[in-house]
Amino acid sequence: QVQLVESGGGLVQAGGSLRLSCAASGRTFSSYAMGWFRQAPGKERDFVAAVTWSGGRTYYVDSVKGRFTISRENAKNMVYLQMNSLKPEDTAVYYCAAARNPRSWYSGETYDYWGQGTQVTVSS
């Protein structure tokens, strides 16, 4: 069992930055690949970024490439999402997720555990 708690969301102006954090419980954090998803009002939850168990490889949706960076610290049971050059269309609730054996990095169905989400609002 893994419990995930996100933090770091808030209100920021377009062009600004935020760093989201996700704290994971449990002793087997390094056994899970980690991902970030987001859900805007009235829309489905979409993939944003993922990182492999060791942090050696990362994956991003095209719309955030070059602006967002996912990283993890296994010793601290933490995963991060650094978000730069934020745009109003990045406004959403952001969710952290954990997957033991992801069949697809991009599909929410792959992930076993989810956090409660943190709101990110980007004003124009």
Side-chain angles (χ1 to χ4, degrees), residues 38-47:
R38 65 186 179 186
Q39 187 169 19
K43 296 188 177 181
E44 299 203 350
R45 189 159 55 187
D46 292 328
F47 170 80

Side-chain angles (χ1 to χ4, degrees), residues 3-86:
Q3 292 185 328
L4 304 172
V5 179
E6 302 96 335
S7 62
L11 174 64
V12 63
Q13 289 188 332
S17 298
L18 282 174
R19 188 195 196 203
L20 303 184
S21 299
C22 175
S25 66
R27 301 179 181 178
T28 59
F29 177 69
S30 60
S31 300
Y32 290 86
M34 299 298 296
W36 286 95
F37 287 72
R38 65 186 179 186
Q39 187 169 19
K43 296 188 177 181
E44 299 203 350
R45 189 159 55 187
D46 292 328
F47 170 80
V48 177
V51 60
T52 55
W53 302 262
S54 66
R57 297 192 70 174
T58 56
Y59 304 86
Y60 298 94
V61 66
D62 285 347
S63 61
V64 308
K65 285 180 180 177
R67 300 190 298 124
F68 291 11
T69 302
I70 188 171
S71 61
R72 66 189 296 164
E73 286 188 86
N74 286 345
K76 296 183 178 180
N77 282 18
M78 296 291 295
V79 63
Y80 307 100
L81 186 67
Q82 177 66 44
M83 304 186 297
N84 299 328
S85 302
L86 282 161

